[in-house]
């Protein structure tokens, strides 16, 4: 039984290597991707939003994203790529809001393109792949409190201001992605990516001056992550 399992495993590995060798000579040396990512807040930031009677909705957790992707060996075509992704929310910069959520961070990415296929009259391949990412992010929530708008109250808590709390997290993700050709010279591909993984709060919650926040009942440091990204490859 074990011998049969070993033979099946060897066959699958050989099939995978064959696909890699013969299917991915088209892989480019590098690519720039721009788009949007729907983030998932940490357990602590969600707890702070609950304390405030607010919600970190889709608009607040939507971020701008940029990914630089390169072959592991840029001088040789390959199915395996690596690169970096940078992301940051933007709704926290909008005015007229009393509750804000922010997240800014970066990840190091590894990916493997495992399947390519064409549909209908497509001239370029659709590409399916998987990979993983390691990174970190700084996130925070801000709540507008106080009632006074008088300059005389600037040094008092009655003056309208934002109470702020922040976290520093480590991120570990696995991903599946689908690249679809657009038949456009400047925007050759659009890509959907699903990420799933774990976040770990290594410091926080803390104040803007880096002091720890006391008497915080929710001490859940580890949380699950499920994000969605839609990006477009841009050629300059």
């Amino acid at each position: 039984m074990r011998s049969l399992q070993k033979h099946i495993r060897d066959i699958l590995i050989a099939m995978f290597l064959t696909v890699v060798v013969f299917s991915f000579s088209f892989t480019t040396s590098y690519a720039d991707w721009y788009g949007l990512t729907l983030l998932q807040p940490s357990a602590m930031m969600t707890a702070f939003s609950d304390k405030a009677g607010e919600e970190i909705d889709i608009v607040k957790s939507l971020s701008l994203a940029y990914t630089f992707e390169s072959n592991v060996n840029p001088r040789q075509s390959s199915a395996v790529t690596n690169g970096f992704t940078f992301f940051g929310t933007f709704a926290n910069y909008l005015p007229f809001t009393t509750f804000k959520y922010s997240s800014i961070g970066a990840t190091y990415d590894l990916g493997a393109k495992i399947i390519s296929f064409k549909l209908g009259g497509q001239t370029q391949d659709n590409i399916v792949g998987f990979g993983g990412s390691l990174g970190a992010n700084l996130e925070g929530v801000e709540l507008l409190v106080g009632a006074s708008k008088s300059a005389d109250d600037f040094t008092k808590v009655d003056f309208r201001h934002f109470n702020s709390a922040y976290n520093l997290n480590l991120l570990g993700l696995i991903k599946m992605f689908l690249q679809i050709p657009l038949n456009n010279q400047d925007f050759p591909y659009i890509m959907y990516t699903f990420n799933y993984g774990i976040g770990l709060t290594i410091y926080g919650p803390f104040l803007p001056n880096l002091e720890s926040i006391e008497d915080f009942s929710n001490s859940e440091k580890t949380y699950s992550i499920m994000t969605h990204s839609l990006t477009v490859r841009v050629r300059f």
Side-chain angles (χ1 to χ4, degrees):
M1 184 65 179
R2 289 183 180 179
S3 177
L4 178 60
Q5 291 175 341
K6 183 177 183 299
H7 285 306
I8 293 175
R9 183 194 63 187
D10 292 340
I11 291 172
L12 291 175
I13 292 174
M15 290 175 61
F16 173 76
L17 292 176
T18 301
V19 170
V20 168
V21 170
F22 291 106
S23 298
F24 297 104
S25 60
F26 60 83
T27 303
T28 54
S29 59
Y30 67 90
D32 294 290
W33 300 85
Y34 297 85
L36 299 172
T37 296
L38 185 61
L39 302 174
Q40 183 165 341
S42 69
M44 285 192 180
M45 292 296 101
T46 301
F48 269 105
S49 68
D50 292 340
K51 285 179 178 290
E54 300 283 351
E55 181 183 2
I56 303 175
D57 56 23
I58 291 177
V59 174
K60 290 183 176 67
S61 57
L62 197 63
S63 75
L64 298 174
Y66 164 71
T67 296
F68 173 78
E69 178 188 40
S70 172
N71 288 351
V72 173
N73 181 357
R75 297 182 178 180
Q76 182 178 354
S77 295
S78 169
V80 182
T81 63
N82 65 354
F84 296 91
T85 296
F86 302 92
F87 58 88
T89 53
F90 55 86
N92 52 304
Y93 296 106
L94 300 176
F96 313 117
T97 179
T98 60
F99 180 76
K100 300 180 180 182
Y101 171 76
S102 63
S103 177
I104 182 170
T107 60
Y108 170 71
D109 312 315
L110 279 173
K113 301 174 182 181
I114 58 174
I115 300 173
S116 64
F117 61 93
K118 291 184 176 72
L119 295 175
Q122 287 182 321
T123 58
Q124 293 178 290
D125 292 318
N126 300 280
I127 301 171
V128 179
F130 72 95
S133 302
L134 291 174
N137 75 319
L138 175 68
E139 61 174 356
V141 290
E142 299 181 354
L143 178 67
L144 186 63
V145 296
S148 174
K149 294 180 287 184
S150 172
D152 294 334
D153 292 332
F154 181 73
T155 59
K156 302 176 183 178
V157 294
D158 291 336
F159 192 77
R160 298 221 78 181
H161 65 283
F162 280 96
N163 280 348
S164 304
Y166 299 95
N167 273 348
L168 180 61
N169 308 307
L170 295 180
L171 311 173
L173 305 167
I174 57 174
K175 65 179 179 180
M176 296 290 294
F177 60 86
L178 170 64
Q179 296 179 12
I180 301 174
L182 296 179
N183 295 323
N184 184 293
Q185 183 176 354
D186 298 319
F187 309 99
Y189 273 94
I190 188 170
M191 176 168 62
Y192 166 73
T193 305
F194 171 75
N195 292 286
Y196 181 79
I198 295 176
L200 174 64
T201 299
I202 58 173
Y203 185 63
F206 59 88
L207 299 171
N209 65 351
L210 302 183
E211 288 186 51
S212 295
I213 295 175
E214 300 177 353
D215 301 324
F216 185 65
S217 58
N218 188 329
S219 59
E220 188 175 350
K221 298 284 187 178
T222 304
Y223 59 98
S224 61
I225 302 172
M226 185 163 33
T227 70
H228 306 269
S229 299
L230 191 64
T231 53
V232 176
R233 183 178 174 184
V234 180
R235 282 179 177 165
F236 294 98

